[in-house]
Amino acid sequence: MTQIDQIMQQAATACEQYKKIPPAQRAAFLEAIGAEITARREVLVKTAGEETNLPMARLNGEIVRTTTQLQKFADLVKEGSWVEAVIDTKPNIRRMLVPVGPVVVFGASNFPFAFSTAGGDTASALAAGATVVVKAHPAHPRTSQTMFEAIQAAIVQSGMPAHTVQHVTGDYHTGKALVIHPFTTGVGFTGSLQGGKALCAYAAEREVPIPVFAEMSSVNPVVFLPQALETRGAELAETFAASITLGAGQFCTNPGLLIGLESPAFTAFQQQLGAALEKTPPQKMLHPGIHTAFLEGRTRMLAHQEVSLSPKPVPDFDTNAVRPSLALTSGAALLANPALKEEVFGPHALVVACKDKAELLAVLKGLKGQLTTSLMATEEDLAQWREVIDIQVTLAGRIILNGAPTGVEVCAAMVHGGPFPATTDARFTSVGTAAIRRWVRPVCYQQFPDALLPDELKDGNPRGIWRLTDNQYAR
Amino acid sequence: MTQIDQIMQQAATACEQYKKIPPAQRAAFLEAIGAEITARREVLVKTAGEETNLPMARLNGEIVRTTTQLQKFADLVKEGSWVEAVIDTKPNIRRMLVPVGPVVVFGASNFPFAFSTAGGDTASALAAGATVVVKAHPAHPRTSQTMFEAIQAAIVQSGMPAHTVQHVTGDYHTGKALVIHPFTTGVGFTGSLQGGKALCAYAAEREVPIPVFAEMSSVNPVVFLPQALETRGAELAETFAASITLGAGQFCTNPGLLIGLESPAFTAFQQQLGAALEKTPPQKMLHPGIHTAFLEGRTRMLAHQEVSLSPKPVPDFDTNAVRPSLALTSGAALLANPALKEEVFGPHALVVACKDKAELLAVLKGLKGQLTTSLMATEEDLAQWREVIDIQVTLAGRIILNGAPTGVEVCAAMVHGGPFPATTDARFTSVGTAAIRRWVRPVCYQQFPDALLPDELKDGNPRGIWRLTDNQYAR
């Protein structure tokens, strides 16, 4: 038996017990993880600062995001309606969601807390009743270990099975062994397109298929309509300079493609945006791998003769540090060269100037799947450009009007997901309480007496949850 | 441009219009299909009888099932809450489900109406706002064509886009071309494990992955507990003889594995069941391919030395006609030989006699994913065998207490789905109103003014649907 066999066996055995733990206790466990994280806040922020180059303010904010996220899932579990109970009394068939089994979570490098060891994938899986095996991200192993210790303390304190969450370090061989293991029932991943595709390829080798929820690549196209540029181009330049450079551009929702019509107002906007970016001090990227990939990606993008750079490149002196940049191209060039649609992960955006409305719509229609797409528009713009929204709905999981895409709220309505290659499965979200649905499947009970049904499906509704009974919603 | 290119282009163009059609009109269209089917009832039943060997009474019943199914989806669309509207007001983010795009449906041979051209896959996709390309099942081409004519009449009458539903005939090359086409966004299939796996393999060649919902292989294990056998063994034998032979055993929910403890009562049950099967007249199977596969599968199963046959085989004289059969083996043999767990599609079941409770639980735990699993038990049985239900929940999408698995109600709570190889995705159902979820994905709108939002998400709730607003359900 290999180490991975042992770990997955433990995860499966723990799941048999964990999934039966009543909702109130499961919620208390999620809250206990939050409390243990808060208790370790100083060391977590210090360690993550050393390992990721992220500033203290950001890391402190991310701790709050992580504990708030755990609290939201705790609240969801306490309330209980998330199981989607459906009851038909004639014939007597009753459905609810049940956990699928042990889940493997790959930590992300760009959110060492909120999308990592105790991040959204882990929180949503634990909320669903699934046990979790975390594969630590190699870029922040000490942070991950400390976070795991917080979880372990919560496990002991809450009386959960010892192997409810396990922590694994290793290279891609370890990752593959986890994905192909017969006891694994689902995978959560946030990272590169290459990484996500590799996990899907591993999963394709399995005898029994499992879902791989990989959140991967998105250029988050933003459309700037004429009147919005004319009336508040300078303000938009400031907003997007901040969005492009936030966290050294290392956000999956970073706006990488800025699309508008050729016009003096769009030209002015580009100049203002370029100037704002030039003023932004260099920022250290997360780790040498991402730094190198960014420089190479930007160089590759700028090598296309139809792309020009604004502002002029400034050499980056410090290790891992980069300056933001803005490239310019035309709608015709983007239509002719699919390579210009690729993501450059970091503080870089490509401005696409289209010669007319038809070209702009064609550019938009020709894009791949995205996490987000935004629209900067006045009411008058919208009256004339309604079809842009129609196209945007087909492109992404989240459409933002007059706002930057960075900043992903953890709420019930959030969709952090979208058509491939943004994610592997546009039907699910990895942020927000609906993320719990990735780790469950429906089961129905036919002709069961009340005593043998889960509380959620019993006649008297002892859990007091919302249910669809004979096609009527009631609590 | 190939013929398939043209068809998929038409499906995509039609979808742009069709998805915007208001719910009331979409519902009226589904009802019109039902009316057109009813108007063609006589010719449909006659044609299907000639092409499938299914008896008139069954086919007449299946017509009603098909039109009722269309009506249920029409009602769902009219009511409107199925879009799962979620509204968070701070920040202003609003989510609902939207159709994915054109869907390819493969007709099933064993349900020429209810799971075929105008069956559940087509009805649920149309309800979702997706356009449909039906690949007719080659075993009933004329039935499929007549059914398509009914749909076409409804399209014209309801003023839907001409290519809302299209009909294609052809071999597996055609099927592959449809699955790999870039405009295809989802696939529905009911059929063999081999067929479903082939479609998944085609889909794996795509650049952009799409879901293939294949409902494939299930032996639908039934557990007979001791007191149930003692108190009503004879009655159970009658019930299961009828279930095994229903429709010549050509149901995906056919009970193929009958598991109990070695005992005089279980032996008596087997004898009574065997005798009841012997009395069942020969039945014609759907087509020569299924007939041959059944005979070969049964022969392969009986070739295992640890399997014996009861009653004795009787030669089948008529073309395509078969007699039901019952094979016997032990729990130990099933545990030792995975081949005994394979499905024999047709009127055949394997009785598994276990030497004790531990062996029975091991047999159950060792099974693959199933559509259904049933339990025959008295209250006293259940008090001592509760862990059987725990295992059954991990095995299947539907658990039936004291009933046969054949008969799949089209209702809101139904789960006709289950872990692989029963289906390719246990998170969805292909029967019941929840089948609509296979053809949609969530989209959220951030910071949109009321006027630009779909009605389902507007402040005043003009559709009057159930929505989760700031974590409170209300209509």
Side-chain angles (χ1 to χ4, degrees):
Chain A
M1 190 185 270
T2 68
Q3 190 211 352
I4 298 297
D5 276 335
Q6 193 185 336
I7 284 165
M8 292 313 307
Q9 175 69 66
Q10 287 166 175
T13 306
C15 198
E16 293 304 306
Q17 298 171 260
Y18 180 67
K19 70 183 179 189
K20 288 185 193 165
I21 285 168
Q25 280 170 257
R26 203 189 285 171
F29 169 48
L30 293 171
E31 289 170 346
I33 298 175
E36 293 295 335
I37 291 171
T38 302
R40 286 164 179 79
R41 180 183 190 135
E42 258 183 72
V43 62
L44 280 166
V45 167
K46 184 173 171 295
T47 311
E50 290 162 9
E51 290 188 318
T52 67
N53 295 321
L54 291 171
M56 292 298 115
R58 149 71 194 271
L59 289 170
N60 271 296
E62 200 182 318
I63 288 276
V64 175
R65 183 186 176 91
T66 307
T67 55
T68 304
Q69 189 163 252
L70 284 157
Q71 186 61 54
K72 290 204 173 181
F73 281 109
D75 294 344
L76 188 79
V77 169
K78 275 188 254 184
E79 197 279 330
S81 303
W82 74 271
V83 300
E84 295 178 10
V86 179
I87 297 174
D88 288 312
T89 55
K90 287 184 198 102
N92 182 4
I93 300 180
R94 296 163 189 241
R95 182 182 86 204
M96 66 178 284
L97 298 172
V98 299
V100 285
V103 158
V104 172
V105 169
F106 287 81
S109 71
N110 61 339
F111 279 89
F113 307 140
F115 286 79
S116 218
T117 313
D121 287 347
T122 299
S124 56
L126 291 176
T131 52
V132 174
V133 176
V134 176
K135 162 79 171 56
H137 196 285
H140 53 256
R142 289 186 293 127
T143 305
S144 191
Q145 178 59 36
T146 305
M147 200 51 107
F148 178 58
E149 283 160 19
I151 297 172
Q152 271 184 310
I155 286 173
V156 171
Q157 183 194 314
S158 314
M160 296 293 134
H163 298 113
T164 301
V165 180
Q166 296 176 88
H167 192 240
V168 180
T169 55
D171 61 9
Y172 74 92
H173 294 290
T174 308
K176 179 173 179 175
L178 289 168
V179 171
I180 65 174
H181 199 280
F183 289 165
T184 302
T185 60
V187 175
F189 168 84
T190 300
S192 68
L193 182 59
Q194 195 189 351
K197 278 181 157 180
L199 295 187
C200 289
Y202 301 156
E205 293 179 23
R206 297 176 55 95
E207 191 199 332
V208 174
I210 55 168
V212 174
F213 299 101
E215 192 259 85
M216 303 176 296
S217 175
S218 183
V219 294
N220 304 294
V222 184
V223 178
F224 297 83
L225 292 185
Q227 206 187 42
L229 286 168
E230 274 161 35
T231 53
R232 52 193 176 90
E235 180 201 323
L236 288 173
E238 291 301 323
T239 299
F240 278 86
S243 182
I244 289 165
T245 57
L246 191 69
Q250 299 163 118
F251 285 110
C252 33
T253 53
N254 190 261
L257 211 55
L258 314 177
I259 306 166
L261 287 188
E262 282 172 13
S263 70
F266 197 35
T267 305
F269 163 78
Q270 293 159 34
Q271 286 163 350
Q272 287 156 338
L273 177 56
L277 292 178
E278 253 181 314
K279 274 185 279 177
T280 309
Q283 291 170 285
K284 279 195 181 184
M285 295 194 77
L286 288 160
H287 55 80
I290 277 193
H291 181 248
T292 305
F294 172 65
L295 295 182
E296 288 177 358
R298 184 162 66 176
T299 303
R300 207 161 40 237
M301 188 58 74
L302 298 171
H304 297 287
Q305 61 177 20
E306 63 274 41
V307 176
S308 63
L309 190 67
S310 161
K312 286 181 197 153
V314 177
D316 302 315
F317 297 103
D318 199 358
T319 317
N320 281 348
V322 290
R323 287 176 186 275
S325 51
L326 192 67
L328 312 175
T329 195
S330 67
L334 196 91
L335 286 171
N337 186 354
L340 303 185
K341 299 173 193 170
E342 297 301 322
E343 183 180 21
V344 177
F345 192 76
H348 175 83
L350 178 63
V351 172
V352 183
C354 301
K355 72 173 196 299
D356 55 25
K357 185 178 183 174
E359 189 175 271
L360 188 147
L361 296 180
V363 162
L364 207 54
K365 267 194 182 170
L367 295 177
K368 302 186 217 183
Q370 308 288 340
L371 289 171
T372 76
T373 175
S374 310
L375 180 60
M376 306 302 117
T378 64
E379 265 189 47
E380 208 165 297
D381 283 327
L382 288 166
Q384 292 169 52
W385 291 77
R386 185 63 193 264
E387 58 266 66
V388 169
I389 298 176
D390 285 344
I391 300 171
Q392 289 186 307
V393 168
T394 68
L395 278 184
R398 182 161 59 110
I399 326 296
I400 301 125
L401 187 65
N402 292 318
T406 40
V408 184
E409 191 75 17
V410 181
C411 60
M414 176 52 63
V415 180
H416 189 63
F420 185 89
T423 74
T424 44
D425 194 337
R427 293 168 301 169
F428 295 86
T429 175
S430 60
V431 175
T433 43
I436 197 171
R437 287 208 195 152
R438 295 175 298 165
W439 321 117
V440 290
R441 65 179 178 88
V443 165
C444 72
Y445 299 78
Q446 187 168 331
Q447 284 178 217
F448 271 62
D450 227 41
L452 288 172
L453 286 167
D455 284 351
E456 287 84 350
L457 299 179
K458 281 183 179 20
D459 273 339
N461 194 9
R463 286 278 286 127
I465 60 176
W466 284 95
R467 315 193 293 189
L468 185 70
T469 304
D470 291 332
N471 291 313
Q472 297 295 322
Y473 285 94
R475 180 161 61 175
Chain B
M1 189 184 269
T2 68
Q3 190 212 352
I4 299 297
D5 276 333
Q6 195 187 333
I7 285 165
M8 291 314 305
Q9 176 69 65
Q10 287 167 175
T13 305
C15 198
E16 293 304 306
Q17 298 171 261
Y18 180 67
K19 70 184 179 189
K20 288 184 191 164
I21 284 169
Q25 281 171 255
R26 204 187 285 169
F29 170 46
L30 293 171
E31 290 170 346
I33 298 175
E36 293 293 336
I37 290 171
T38 302
R40 287 166 180 77
R41 181 183 188 134
E42 258 183 70
V43 62
L44 280 166
V45 168
K46 183 173 172 292
T47 311
E50 289 161 9
E51 290 188 318
T52 66
N53 297 320
L54 290 170
M56 294 296 115
R58 149 71 193 273
L59 288 170
N60 271 297
E62 200 182 318
I63 288 276
V64 175
R65 182 186 177 91
T66 307
T67 56
T68 304
Q69 189 163 255
L70 284 158
Q71 186 60 54
K72 289 204 174 181
F73 281 109
D75 293 343
L76 188 79
V77 169
K78 275 187 252 183
E79 196 279 330
S81 302
W82 73 271
V83 299
E84 295 178 11
V86 179
I87 297 174
D88 288 311
T89 55
K90 287 183 196 105
N92 182 4
I93 300 180
R94 295 163 190 241
R95 182 183 85 204
M96 66 178 284
L97 298 172
V98 299
V100 286
V103 158
V104 172
V105 168
F106 287 81
S109 70
N110 61 340
F111 280 89
F113 306 141
F115 285 80
S116 216
T117 314
D121 287 347
T122 298
S124 57
L126 291 176
T131 51
V132 175
V133 176
V134 176
K135 163 79 169 59
H137 196 286
H140 53 258
R142 288 187 292 127
T143 305
S144 191
Q145 179 59 34
T146 305
M147 200 52 109
F148 177 58
E149 284 159 18
I151 297 172
Q152 271 185 310
I155 286 173
V156 171
Q157 183 193 313
S158 314
M160 296 293 133
H163 298 113
T164 300
V165 180
Q166 295 176 89
H167 191 241
V168 181
T169 55
D171 62 9
Y172 74 93
H173 293 290
T174 308
K176 178 172 179 175
L178 289 167
V179 171
I180 66 174
H181 199 280
F183 290 164
T184 302
T185 60
V187 175
F189 169 84
T190 300
S192 68
L193 181 59
Q194 194 189 354
K197 279 182 156 178
L199 295 186
C200 289
Y202 301 155
E205 292 179 25
R206 297 176 56 96
E207 192 199 331
V208 173
I210 55 167
V212 174
F213 298 101
E215 192 259 85
M216 303 176 296
S217 175
S218 183
V219 294
N220 304 295
V222 184
V223 178
F224 296 83
L225 293 185
Q227 206 186 41
L229 285 169
E230 275 161 35
T231 54
R232 52 193 176 89
E235 179 200 325
L236 289 173
E238 290 301 322
T239 299
F240 278 85
S243 182
I244 290 165
T245 56
L246 190 68
Q250 299 163 118
F251 285 110
C252 31
T253 52
N254 189 262
L257 211 56
L258 313 178
I259 306 166
L261 288 187
E262 281 172 12
S263 70
F266 197 35
T267 305
F269 164 79
Q270 293 158 35
Q271 286 162 350
Q272 284 156 338
L273 177 55
L277 292 178
E278 252 181 317
K279 272 184 281 174
T280 309
Q283 292 170 285
K284 277 195 183 186
M285 294 193 77
L286 288 160
H287 55 82
I290 278 192
H291 181 248
T292 306
F294 172 66
L295 295 183
E296 287 176 359
R298 184 164 65 178
T299 302
R300 207 160 42 237
M301 188 60 73
L302 298 173
H304 297 287
Q305 61 177 18
E306 62 273 42
V307 176
S308 62
L309 189 67
S310 160
K312 286 182 195 152
V314 176
D316 301 315
F317 297 104
D318 200 358
T319 316
N320 281 348
V322 290
R323 287 177 187 274
S325 51
L326 192 68
L328 311 176
T329 194
S330 68
L334 195 92
L335 287 170
N337 186 355
L340 303 186
K341 299 173 192 171
E342 297 302 322
E343 184 181 18
V344 177
F345 191 77
H348 175 82
L350 178 63
V351 172
V352 183
C354 301
K355 72 174 196 300
D356 55 25
K357 183 177 184 175
E359 189 174 273
L360 188 148
L361 297 180
V363 163
L364 207 54
K365 266 195 181 168
L367 295 177
K368 301 187 218 184
Q370 307 288 340
L371 290 170
T372 76
T373 174
S374 310
L375 179 60
M376 305 302 117
T378 63
E379 266 189 47
E380 209 165 296
D381 282 328
L382 288 166
Q384 292 170 53
W385 290 77
R386 185 63 192 264
E387 58 267 65
V388 169
I389 298 176
D390 286 344
I391 300 171
Q392 288 186 308
V393 168
T394 69
L395 278 184
R398 182 161 61 109
I399 327 295
I400 301 126
L401 187 64
N402 292 320
T406 40
V408 184
E409 191 75 15
V410 181
C411 61
M414 176 52 63
V415 180
H416 189 63
F420 185 89
T423 73
T424 44
D425 195 336
R427 293 168 302 170
F428 295 86
T429 175
S430 60
V431 175
T433 44
I436 197 171
R437 288 207 195 152
R438 295 175 298 165
W439 321 116
V440 291
R441 65 181 179 87
V443 165
C444 72
Y445 298 79
Q446 187 166 334
Q447 284 178 217
F448 271 62
D450 227 41
L452 288 173
L453 286 167
D455 285 350
E456 288 84 350
L457 299 178
K458 281 184 179 24
D459 273 339
N461 193 10
R463 286 278 286 128
I465 60 176
W466 284 95
R467 314 193 293 189
L468 184 70
T469 304
D470 292 331
N471 292 313
Q472 298 294 322
Y473 285 94
R475 180 160 63 173

